[in-house]
């Protein structure tokens, strides 16, 4: 591994100065569809998909251009306009097209376009399909702002934009109470993370007077240790919120209430990986602070086990995948926390995970489509005959996620485990255990869904999904298999300038001792999964479960913890404030003064006796008094 | 011509008005007493106008007359209305509006 100097991006010219179109096209499409209303109902899905594909094409052109460029000119800055100019600060809105962001652009728009195509079929019977596509385009635009922004503030606009579209799409079926509550929960939990990002930006402004990546990167080395740690931990808090890492993990499982394409695009492939992007983008700050780096790695490790545990015990197919997403992002965070050694692998795993997890989420959607929107795996079984394409594509995603040799996950995940072992045996062993558990719960999912006996509910007739849904599945399945081998020897070198270090190339075929141990662990996981679920699966939840399964079913008591530690004290606090408002403010201050006025009035109202002549006397006395005062005043 | 006489007369008329206003029960008489007070003040104003040698006091007295005329209209209307319902012009009888 060689550490590299960071190079400043070059100014944009030619095609690059049109990079903003990638964001503008889906944003304009979203606005048009929302404003256009029912007039656009008939072709809204086509426009939305076309907008996403247009962004993908621009991204692809830029990528091809970057591939041909020399290494020093692969980071291009595209300044757009000045956002704030005040005192010494000038904050620009600009885009940064470099090795890191272009990979994200391709993932977002590429997988995004496939999911748009899939949604045409999946949402065909929804009366609000136009709105759905408008929100999806909004998401694409916001996510592109997030990854293309050339400073933290621009990134923050995208960060909030994806939060908003995530909220809108989780709560897309807002008439279901569970969906509305889940959307609100995701929004609230994400706000905590956003607070971290805001405070990190404030800290950066005090230290560097700028939030631009270029300025921050150039001066990061001069940052004092404690400031680096503070900024690092705040950015980690932000990443935890967006990427559903412990302790802000609780929203992701509920977020599965949204339509399945949303779960695939936002809550599996792209948005939830924004935290990893943030950490990698800030790697020069983390290089200054081993403490924050260790915190990132620990959070990642805890989450990868946490998510895997939840995955083992859920019966809802989407929640198993959500637990798995948490777990896989945990791997990415772990890799990001290892520093320059792991950064490229984090992005590598992020990309392959984007493919195979989107594939499996969409596959789960295809299964639900055929099963009358049932998500309980205990009602599935033997679907491999009824849905051959879904089964085969899902199986490829399965092989990729467990790390079957030569599939995508095999390369990306093994590199992370290997790097973790080099850094610390504890982290490495835990990551290894996570790989075994992953194999176990994914095998369980496959066995319960596609194998075994039919446990279908009455009136359910599973059928294969339409072409618009199966073609994206096939594309993603192929990517799940080949993406690892395709990128393995290339990505480390490609990302080196952006991640700050050149990692040693790993040969496609060489297998290290740790690789063999990993494969054995995975094999044990697969075997156990097969052993436990090879026979009859009860169609209701068995009562005599062990404590581990019960804890997993309850999301490891994440909600209970939040309620006990944050919600109840908060409610007590609010109750106390409300009580003191009622009794001290209303009762003491307001009540006391009104009481005094009312007591005085009770006495004084006797003067209002109804006799005109007594009023006359009062008037005359008053006039005399005023006159006397004036005269005395003059005399004095 | 000594303006003091006029001012003394004005003070006497005003006092008569005040006492009449306070002591008489008949609303019409009380009302006339109020008019007497207004005219006493008019007399004082006109005297001061003469003393100071300008027209301010006289103009002020015109204002008082106009206000008095307007007041008479409304006051008499109220008295007549009360008389119609209560068959009395005694100010002590109209005593329902109280605490």
């Amino acid at each position: 591994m060689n550490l590299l100097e960071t190079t400043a991006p070059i100014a944009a010219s030619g095609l690059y100065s049109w990079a903003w179109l990638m964001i503008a096209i889906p944003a304009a499409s979203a606005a048009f569809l929302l404003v256009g209303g029912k007039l656009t109902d008939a072709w809204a899905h086509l426009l939305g998909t076309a907008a996403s594909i247009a962004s993908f094409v621009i991204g692809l052109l830029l990528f091809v251009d970057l591939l041909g460029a020399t290494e020093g000119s692969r980071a291009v800055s595209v300044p757009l306009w000045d956002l704030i100019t005040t005192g010494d600060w000038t904050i620009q809105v600009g885009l940064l097209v470099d090795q890191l962001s272009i990979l994200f652009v391709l993932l977002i728009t590429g997988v995004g376009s496939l999911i748009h195509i899939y949604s045409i079929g999946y949402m065909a019977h929804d009366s609000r399909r136009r709105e759905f596509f408008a929100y999806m385009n909004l998401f694409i635009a916001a996510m592109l702002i997030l990854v293309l922004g050339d400073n933290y503030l621009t990134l923050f606009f995208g960060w909030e934009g994806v939060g908003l579209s995530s909220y809108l799409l989780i709560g897309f079926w807002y008439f279901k109470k569970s969906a509305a509550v889940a959307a609100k929960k995701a929004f609230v939990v994400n706000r905590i993370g956003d607070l971290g990002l805001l405070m990190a930006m404030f800290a950066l402004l005090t230290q560097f007077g700028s939030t631009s990546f270029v300025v921050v990167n150039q001066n990061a080395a001069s940052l004092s240790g404690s400031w680096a740690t503070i900024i690092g931990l705040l950015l980690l808090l932000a990443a935890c919120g967006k990427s559903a890492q412990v302790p802000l993990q609780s929203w992701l499982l509920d977020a599965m209430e949204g339509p399945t394409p949303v779960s695939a695009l936002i809550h599996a492939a792209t948005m939830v990986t924004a935290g990893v992007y943030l950490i990698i983008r800030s790697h020069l700050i983390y290089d200054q602070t081993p403490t924050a780096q260790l915190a990132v790695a620990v959070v990642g490790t805890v989450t990868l086990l946490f998510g895997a545990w939840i995955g083992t015990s859920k019966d809802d197919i989407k929640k198993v995948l959500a637990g798995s997403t948490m777990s896989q992002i945990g791997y990415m965070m772990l890799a990001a926390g290892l520093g320059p050694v792991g950064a490229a692998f984090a992005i590598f795993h992020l990309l392959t995970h984007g493919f195979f997890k989107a594939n499996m989420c969409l596959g789960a959607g295809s299964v639900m489509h055929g099963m009358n929107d049932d998500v309980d795996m205990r009602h599935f079984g033997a679907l491999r005959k009824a849905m051959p394409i879904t089964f085969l594509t899902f199986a490829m995603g399965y092989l990729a996620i467990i790390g079957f040799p030569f599939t995508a996950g095999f390369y990306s995940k093994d590199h992370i485990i290997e790097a973790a072992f080099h850094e610390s045996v504890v982290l490495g062993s835990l990551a290894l255990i996570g790989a075994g558990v992953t194999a176990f719960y994914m095998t369980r999912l496959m066995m319960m869904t596609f194998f075994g006996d039919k446990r279908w509910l009455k009136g359910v007739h599973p059928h294969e999904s339409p072409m618009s849904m199966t073609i994206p599945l096939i594309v993603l399945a192929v990517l799940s298999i080949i993406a690892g081998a395709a990128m393995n020897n290339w990505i480390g070198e490609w990302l080196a300038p952006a991640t700050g270090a050149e990692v040693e190339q790993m040969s496609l075929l060489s297998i290290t001792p740790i690789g063999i141990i990993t494969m054995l662990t995975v094999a044990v996981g697969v075997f156990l999964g097969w052993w436990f679920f090879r026979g009859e699966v009860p169609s209701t939840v068995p009562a005599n479960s062990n404590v581990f399964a019960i804890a997993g079913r309850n999301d490891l008591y994440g909600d209970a913890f939040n309620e006990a530690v944050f919600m109840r004290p908060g409610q007590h606090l609010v109750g106390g404030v409300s009580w003191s408002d009622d009794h001290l403010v209303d009762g003491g201050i307001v009540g006391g003064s009104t009481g005094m006025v009312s007591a005085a009035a009770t006495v004084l109202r006797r003067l209002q006796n109804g006799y005109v002549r007594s009023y006359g006397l009062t008037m005359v006395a008053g006039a005399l008094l005023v006159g006397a005062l004036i005269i005395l005043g003059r005399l004095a | 011509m000594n303006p003091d006489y006029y001012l003394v007369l004005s003070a006497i008329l005003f006092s008569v008005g005040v006492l009449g206003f306070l002591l008489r029960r008949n609303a019409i008489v009380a009302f006339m007493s109020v008019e007497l007070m207004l005219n006493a003040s008019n007399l004082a104003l006109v005297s001061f106008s003469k003393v100071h040698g300008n027209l301010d006091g006289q103009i002020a007295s015109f204002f008082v007359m106009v206000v008095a005329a307007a007041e008479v209209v409304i006051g008499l209307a109220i008295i007549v209305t009360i008389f119609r319902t209560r068959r009395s012009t005694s100010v002590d009888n109209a005593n329902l509006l109280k605490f």
Side-chain angles (χ1 to χ4, degrees):
Chain A
M1 182 189 88
N2 306 311
L3 288 177
L4 300 171
E5 288 290 309
T6 46
T7 49
I10 60 164
S13 60
L15 185 60
Y16 292 97
S17 38
W18 295 95
W20 55 271
L21 270 179
M22 282 193 286
I23 299 165
I25 292 173
S29 160
F32 183 73
L33 292 180
L34 285 175
V35 174
K38 291 204 170 82
L39 290 176
T40 59
D41 267 351
W43 37 270
H45 50 286
L46 299 177
L47 177 69
T49 310
S52 177
I53 292 174
S55 286
F56 176 65
V57 169
I58 299 175
L60 204 59
L61 289 175
L62 291 177
F63 178 63
V64 169
D65 198 78
L66 281 183
L67 275 180
T70 56
E71 187 143 315
S73 52
R74 278 183 185 158
V76 183
S77 89
V78 188
L80 294 179
W81 68 84
D82 286 353
L83 182 68
I84 304 169
T85 307
T86 169
D88 299 335
W89 291 349
T90 298
I91 294 180
Q92 264 202 336
V93 174
L95 305 181
L96 175 65
V97 183
D98 71 349
Q99 296 93 332
L100 180 59
S101 60
I102 197 70
L103 288 181
F104 270 88
V105 167
L106 290 181
L107 176 73
I108 294 157
T109 55
V111 174
S113 299
L114 288 172
I115 292 175
H116 273 79
I117 295 169
Y118 176 94
S119 307
I120 295 176
Y122 190 82
M123 301 299 283
H125 305 299
D126 198 295
S127 59
R128 289 162 61 231
R129 183 164 67 163
R130 171 181 56 83
E131 237 173 285
F132 179 82
F133 274 87
Y135 294 153
M136 287 290 267
N137 275 351
L138 177 68
F139 169 76
I140 297 275
M143 190 71 203
L144 288 174
I145 295 175
L146 197 164
V147 296
L148 282 172
D150 73 346
N151 62 59
Y152 285 94
L153 192 65
T154 312
L155 179 146
F156 187 68
F157 280 108
W159 190 271
E160 292 301 307
V162 292
L164 169 69
S165 29
S166 161
Y167 167 80
L168 290 171
L169 285 165
I170 295 171
F172 187 72
W173 291 319
Y174 54 80
F175 38 82
K176 280 199 302 184
K177 185 157 193 284
S178 54
V181 170
K184 195 161 71 180
K185 184 175 177 187
F187 206 71
V188 170
V189 175
N190 266 295
R191 288 285 81 69
I192 300 168
D194 297 346
L195 193 66
L197 185 50
L198 275 174
M199 297 207 301
M201 281 198 290
F202 299 153
L204 286 172
L205 281 172
T206 61
Q207 294 303 299
F208 303 121
S210 166
T211 59
S212 140
F213 293 143
V214 176
V215 177
V216 171
N217 285 347
Q218 271 167 0
N219 302 317
S222 62
L223 203 58
S224 79
S226 51
W227 271 111
T229 308
I230 291 170
I231 296 172
L233 291 177
L234 288 172
L235 288 173
L236 174 62
L237 178 66
C240 281
K242 200 54 92 192
S243 293
Q245 301 292 293
V246 177
L248 298 179
Q249 83 291 350
S250 63
W251 64 275
L252 186 62
L253 290 159
D254 291 357
M256 295 296 132
E257 284 292 337
T260 307
V262 173
S263 310
L265 178 59
I266 303 186
H267 305 117
T270 56
M271 185 191 83
V272 285
T273 58
V276 180
Y277 171 79
L278 184 70
I279 306 263
I280 305 273
R281 250 311 167 219
S282 317
H283 68 96
L284 286 169
I285 293 172
Y286 282 98
D287 287 349
Q288 306 298 316
T289 162
T291 319
Q293 242 174 2
L294 183 66
V296 174
V298 168
V299 162
T301 313
V302 169
T303 311
L304 82 86
L305 293 170
F306 200 99
W309 187 344
I310 291 174
T312 56
S313 33
K314 286 286 183 184
D315 290 327
D316 178 332
I317 185 167
K318 285 180 74 179
K319 293 206 169 173
V320 174
L321 291 174
S324 156
T325 302
M326 275 167 64
S327 169
Q328 298 301 313
I329 296 173
Y331 274 106
M332 299 170 211
M333 292 291 266
L334 167 61
L338 296 175
V341 225
F345 300 145
I347 300 297
F348 187 19
H349 194 53
L350 193 157
L351 295 173
T352 57
H353 173 258
F355 297 139
F356 63 67
K357 186 52 67 61
N359 172 22
M360 284 192 287
C361 277
L362 294 181
S366 177
V367 169
M368 286 161 59
H369 200 67
M371 301 295 284
N372 292 359
D373 286 331
D374 195 353
V375 289
D376 193 340
M377 295 194 295
R378 293 187 186 277
H379 301 156
F380 295 168
L383 287 177
R384 72 178 182 283
K385 295 254 171 57
M387 304 179 166
I389 301 177
T390 305
F391 165 66
L392 283 174
T393 55
F394 205 106
M396 293 190 204
Y398 163 75
L399 292 178
I401 193 176
I402 65 170
F404 191 80
F406 313 118
T407 59
F410 169 72
Y411 293 109
S412 55
K413 200 196 282 176
D414 271 19
H415 292 340
I416 294 179
I417 295 173
E418 195 129 344
F421 263 111
H422 283 303
E423 202 72 11
S424 136
V425 179
V426 179
L427 294 180
S429 320
L430 291 174
L432 188 63
I433 293 171
V437 180
T438 306
F440 171 75
Y441 69 72
M442 287 312 298
T443 310
R444 171 177 177 270
L445 187 155
M446 290 297 284
M447 295 300 288
M448 286 176 82
T449 306
F450 294 105
F451 295 89
D453 305 324
K454 294 177 186 175
R455 298 181 302 274
W456 307 343
L457 295 178
K458 275 192 192 129
V460 173
H461 305 289
H463 53 85
E464 190 52 272
S465 301
M467 289 267 280
S468 65
M469 290 168 69
T470 50
I471 288 173
L473 284 177
I474 293 167
V475 176
L476 285 169
V478 171
L479 285 171
S480 308
I481 298 297
I482 63 163
M487 290 192 288
N488 186 52
N489 291 349
W490 166 81
I491 193 162
E493 189 196 342
W494 172 258
L495 280 175
T499 56
E502 190 142 11
V503 285
E504 286 167 40
Q505 294 211 357
M506 304 244 186
S507 158
L508 272 181
L509 296 174
S510 81
I511 291 168
T512 57
I514 292 170
I516 292 170
I517 296 173
T518 311
M519 273 195 264
L520 288 176
T521 316
V522 168
V524 170
V526 171
F527 174 76
L528 289 177
W530 171 77
W531 180 260
F532 282 120
F533 295 95
R534 71 190 190 289
E536 193 124 331
V537 177
S539 60
T540 50
V541 182
N544 57 345
S545 307
N546 60 37
V547 281
F548 298 106
I550 292 171
R553 265 179 220 137
N554 291 302
D555 306 346
L556 298 187
Y557 305 106
D559 288 337
F561 177 83
N562 285 347
E563 278 171 25
V565 176
F566 300 109
M567 190 189 93
R568 296 232 177 76
Q571 281 180 336
H572 286 308
L573 179 70
V574 171
V577 171
S578 162
W579 182 89
S580 62
D581 182 46
D582 284 349
H583 292 85
L584 300 183
V585 177
D586 287 359
I589 301 170
V590 178
S593 47
T594 53
M596 270 154 54
V597 169
S598 130
T602 313
V603 176
L604 290 176
R605 69 178 183 165
R606 295 280 153 195
L607 294 174
Q608 188 81 15
N609 55 15
Y611 288 105
V612 176
R613 287 185 302 146
S614 77
Y615 302 156
L617 184 61
T618 316
M619 261 167 63
V620 171
L624 286 178
L625 191 65
V626 172
L629 282 177
I630 290 172
I631 290 168
L632 285 176
R634 284 284 168 83
L635 291 178
Chain B
M1 190 197 80
N2 188 347
D4 282 357
Y5 298 142
Y6 294 93
L7 290 179
V8 169
L9 176 61
S10 163
I12 290 170
L13 285 175
F14 193 85
S15 307
V16 171
V18 168
L19 291 175
F21 173 64
L22 289 179
L23 300 176
R24 299 301 299 266
R25 288 194 174 83
N26 189 320
I28 304 281
V29 177
F31 200 61
M32 278 156 55
S33 305
V34 171
E35 295 301 314
L36 198 57
M37 281 190 275
L38 288 169
N39 283 320
S41 62
N42 273 350
L43 183 57
L45 284 169
V46 174
S47 310
F48 282 125
S49 175
K50 180 77 178 167
V51 169
H52 293 299
N54 60 23
L55 292 175
D56 290 358
Q58 300 200 19
I59 290 167
S61 73
F62 275 117
F63 276 92
V64 173
M65 280 182 219
V66 172
V67 171
E71 182 221 331
V72 166
V73 172
I74 294 172
L76 281 176
I78 293 171
I79 291 169
V80 169
T81 315
I82 292 175
F83 181 77
R84 279 191 184 157
T85 53
R86 302 185 72 91
R87 291 280 143 204
S88 152
T89 56
S90 169
V91 290
D92 288 358
N93 279 351
N95 63 352
L96 291 179
L97 190 64
K98 60 181 176 185
F99 56 86

